[in-house]
Amino acid sequence: MKVVLITGCSSGIGLSLAVRLASDSSKIFKVYATMRNLAKKERLLESVKGLHRDTLEILQMDVTDRQSIMNAREKVVEKRVDILVCNAGVGLMGPLEIQSLDSMKHILEVNLLGTIQTIQVFLSDMKAQGQGRILVTGSTGGLHGLPFNEVYCASKFAIEGACESLAVLLQHFNIQVSLIECGPVNSDFLVNLQKAELGDESLQQVDGQTLSLYEKYLQHCSMVFQNAAQDTEDIVKVFLEAIHSTKPAFRYFTNSVMPPLTNLKVSEPDGMNYITALSQIIFSDDQ
Ligand code: NAD
């Protein structure tokens, strides 16, 4: 039996992945679905229809609270985790000049340090086991920048660096690190996102040109989510591909091909083609 621990399971990708693995007909997975606030566990319980008492356990875990990560680790009865899924994350959207230090710190604490310290807490056991998988929910916003998402992208870019560095080392311990790079996904992400709305008082201090570009960005964003967002089940399929692979890749793209913008970014090292292309896509008047 493979012991899987997943962060951020009260909604979205984490919830779907927990349900799928706990319901697997082969019963090869024992899932520890963790969430910051156990009061939100009903949705997960409803989704598994109470059927999977032997394959699913729900634990409290706030990725920004080291003690709560250690407490969760203690509660894993098998005393090992074979597959660690770092999935918890939050977004922050709006003009950079209005973001408070506290909200920026919060994004970095959850997305970056939360992921890193979750890995830290489980790493020694995994090394001692001589095997393991670390799967991280990445974002195409961790591969190329998105206007009005500077701090979110910074946190996701940083995850790429941390994971790639770890992947090089952990090969020597038979531990594989994989990033599941998602584009837009239908989840609670947009609801949980800290987002400046157009009528907000905080936007009054922002210059008119930025505001009009922000308005265009918001339109672009809702169009992209309407036309191109994937369902969490599509993302779960990619997680399963990584989990079942005997030689998992470092990066998986949920859209099966590398998105053209990511391609542009990696194939043009001087960086200007990507910046010009994205600006045209989002802000040009003839879209
Ligand atoms: P979601 O908001 O439904 O899920 C995120 C989960 O993380 C929530 O359940 C939330 O409670 C949890 N969380 C937040 N802070 C936490 C903390 N301190 N400790 C533990 N859990 C915490 O959105 P989602 O789309 O399922 O997001 C999952 C991951 O996917 C995130 O890392 C996100 O950055 C990434 N992602 C999402 C999208 C998208 O468009 N939805 C795109 C690319 C990447």
Side-chain angles (χ1 to χ4, degrees):
M1 192 173 231
K2 296 269 176 215
V3 180
V4 188
L5 186 138
I6 310 169
T7 67
C9 291
S10 59
S11 61
I13 298 167
L15 183 146
S16 287
L17 183 63
V19 171
R20 173 63 186 82
L21 295 180
S23 320
D24 197 273
S25 54
S26 65
K27 289 195 176 264
I28 54 167
F29 299 108
K30 166 74 178 284
V31 179
Y32 288 89
T34 74
M35 57 184 72
R36 182 185 34 178
N37 181 1
L38 283 182
K40 293 192 177 165
K41 70 179 175 188
E42 288 312 316
R43 195 157 150 196
L44 174 58
L45 285 173
E46 272 165 31
S47 307
V48 291
K49 301 178 186 71
L51 288 175
H52 306 290
R53 244 172 252 143
D54 46 344
T55 55
L56 179 71
E57 188 106 26
I58 301 177
L59 298 177
Q60 194 278 334
M61 183 168 143
D62 178 341
V63 298
T64 64
D65 175 356
R66 195 178 185 89
Q67 191 57 50
S68 99
I69 306 174
M70 310 236 285
N71 293 346
R73 173 175 163 266
E74 283 308 301
K75 289 187 179 137
V76 174
V77 289
E78 293 79 6
K79 296 293 162 212
R80 67 165 208 284
V81 169
D82 300 304
I83 303 171
L84 176 66
V85 182
C86 296
N87 165 74
V90 277
L92 178 69
M93 193 189 282
L96 186 62
E97 52 272 50
I98 67 159
Q99 308 301 354
S100 70
L101 187 56
D102 279 348
S103 44
M104 295 192 287
K105 275 185 178 165
H106 179 67
I107 298 305
L108 293 169
E109 269 166 16
V110 176
N111 295 359
L112 174 60
L113 296 176
T115 301
I116 290 179
Q117 74 171 344
T118 302
I119 295 172
Q120 271 186 320
V121 167
F122 290 94
L123 192 56
S124 302
D125 292 346
M126 276 192 167
K127 282 180 171 173
Q129 284 157 216
Q131 59 91 24
R133 295 282 173 91
I134 298 173
L135 297 167
V136 178
T137 312
S139 170
T140 49
L143 299 166
H144 50 70
L146 300 167
F148 301 110
N149 286 271
E150 291 80 6
V151 183
Y152 176 73
C153 286
S155 73
K156 293 292 186 183
F157 266 65
I159 286 293
E160 297 282 323
C163 289
E164 198 168 271
S165 306
L166 267 175
V168 176
L169 176 73
L170 294 182
Q171 281 197 327
H172 297 273
F173 295 86
N174 194 25
I175 300 169
Q176 287 84 31
V177 182
S178 298
L179 279 156
I180 312 299
E181 312 283 15
C182 306
V185 182
N186 291 315
S187 67
D188 282 4
F189 189 74
L190 290 182
V191 179
N192 293 331
L193 172 85
Q194 290 182 52
K195 174 176 150 198
E197 300 291 351
L198 282 176
D200 284 1
E201 214 180 292
S202 61
L203 286 177
Q204 283 172 9
Q205 50 167 301
V206 175
D207 67 277
Q209 189 179 0
T210 303
L211 272 186
S212 100
L213 292 169
Y214 186 46
E215 201 171 340
K216 278 191 176 165
Y217 174 73
L218 289 177
Q219 283 163 6
H220 165 83
C221 194
S222 72
M223 196 180 73
V224 165
F225 267 85
Q226 257 170 37
N227 297 339
Q230 291 181 287
D231 288 329
T232 55
E233 285 74 19
D234 301 326
I235 310 301
V236 166
K237 280 185 197 148
V238 183
F239 270 96
L240 280 173
E241 186 190 336
I243 287 171
H244 287 305
S245 168
T246 48
K247 275 193 168 179
F250 175 61
R251 253 187 214 111
Y252 288 84
F253 289 92
T254 61
N255 275 324
S256 78
V257 286
M258 198 193 286
L261 282 169
T262 312
N263 221 347
L264 193 58
K265 163 82 186 263
V266 293
S267 61
E268 302 279 359
D270 90 4
M272 281 317 294
N273 282 353
Y274 171 75
I275 289 172
T276 310
L278 190 66
S279 177
Q280 231 149 39
I281 290 169
I282 298 177
F283 299 128
S284 110
D285 283 321
D286 39 66
Q287 41 173 323

